[in-house]
Amino acid sequence: GAGVSQSPSNKVTEKGKDVELRCDPISGHTALYWYRQSLGQGLEFLIYFQGNSAPDKSGLPSDRFSAERTGGSVSTLTIQRTQQEDSAVYLCASSLGTGRETQYFGPGTRLLVL
Amino acid sequence: RKEVEQDPGPFNVPEGATVAFNCTYSNSASQSFFWYRQDCRKEPKLLMSVYSSGNEDGRFTAQLNRASQYISLLIRDSKLSDSATYLCVVNPRGGSYIPTFGRGTSLIVHP
């Protein structure tokens, strides 16, 4: 079946511009996570959605970052007024339920802020 | 102490060698454990779950030691294609559903 998809696969933007990154999870997966991975670094948790519950935003690094999940499916991560330090790979993952199960990752969006 | 710690390596081994990685975790209430594999410029993919009794999948063996709070991954008869970064993942119990990823251990298998 279809896996997690993300778009765009690559994004180059200028400092100060806003960007939107999209994640389409596996059908039926209620849990959705956003992570960021800088070059040579580990995964940094950003935000977690579970069903219709309020998202856990504890990992968002600043108020320039926001995310939403519409209809319990597709999610969009928005970065406003991008900075060069926002350059990273943004990974989305989904899992069946509580988040204690296996996570399936999308291929990521490589963001470069010039 | 970091929540999940791994030796970053790299572990540089010849083909056919046996290599083992450990991962320590600080939350004694952690409930589930996984090893993921991440190839260069690719997303992490599940390698195997780690069960209390230990489990094996072909050349790969994973073990959990709750008393000492570590999990291990053993790779036998290493192949060139095993070269990757291996991420340890620990899922907590209770109110938090945020898994914690280790920073990964790099493995390079050479001819």
Side-chain angles (χ1 to χ4, degrees):
Chain A
V4 178
S5 60
Q6 291 186 246
S7 61
S9 54
N10 293 280
K11 177 71 176 178
V12 180
T13 191
E14 293 179 349
K15 178 181 172 181
K17 301 279 190 182
D18 297 352
V19 296
E20 280 191 356
L21 312 180
R22 176 189 168 108
C23 172
D24 205 334
I26 293 172
S27 178
H29 281 193
T30 60
L32 186 148
Y33 299 80
W34 282 99
Y35 297 91
R36 142 172 109 171
Q37 188 172 35
S38 300
L39 190 63
Q41 301 298 310
L43 270 70
E44 176 188 2
F45 164 74
L46 297 177
I47 189 169
Y48 162 66
F49 294 90
Q50 173 56 269
N52 295 320
S53 302
D56 182 331
K57 304 179 183 180
S58 60
L60 295 179
S62 77
D63 58 8
R64 297 186 294 105
F65 288 72
S66 63
E68 62 177 23
R69 188 178 184 190
T70 53
S73 181
V74 172
S75 177
T76 302
L77 176 70
T78 301
I79 309 173
Q80 295 179 310
R81 306 180 302 281
T82 52
Q83 303 295 312
Q84 289 182 330
E85 60 263 29
D86 298 334
S87 298
V89 177
Y90 289 81
L91 290 159
C92 173
S94 70
S95 67
L96 269 174
T98 61
R100 299 194 187 103
E101 298 89 5
T102 303
Q103 293 188 42
Y104 296 86
F105 284 83
T109 294
R110 285 167 179 74
L111 175 65
L112 177 61
V113 182
L114 301 175
Chain B
R1 180 180 178 183
K2 291 182 183 175
E3 290 187 62
V4 177
E5 289 198 70
Q6 295 184 252
D7 180 345
F11 285 64
N12 203 320
V13 303
E15 270 186 294
T18 296
V19 61
F21 312 134
N22 277 350
C23 166
T24 58
Y25 60 94
S26 60
N27 185 349
S28 60
S30 297
Q31 190 174 46
S32 57
F33 309 86
F34 304 89
W35 283 102
Y36 280 71
R37 169 192 170 130
Q38 186 172 26
D39 293 290
C40 187
R41 297 180 64 81
K42 295 288 188 180
E43 72 273 22
K45 293 184 178 178
L46 179 70
L47 178 65
M48 59 197 303
S49 303
V50 186
Y51 303 123
S52 296
S53 55
N55 48 300
E56 188 174 308
D57 183 0
R59 299 182 293 109
F60 299 84
T61 300
Q63 292 193 313
L64 167 64
N65 185 317
R66 284 193 183 272
S68 300
Q69 294 181 207
Y70 74 86
I71 66 172
S72 64
L73 177 67
L74 180 78
I75 306 175
R76 291 181 298 277
D77 188 22
S78 299
K79 311 292 184 190
L80 296 177
S81 56
D82 293 335
S83 298
T85 296
Y86 292 83
L87 306 175
C88 164
V89 183
V90 176
N91 282 351
R93 174 167 45 193
S96 172
Y97 300 111
I98 311 303
T100 303
F101 283 75
R103 293 184 65 175
T105 297
S106 175
L107 172 66
I108 301 171
V109 182
H110 59 82

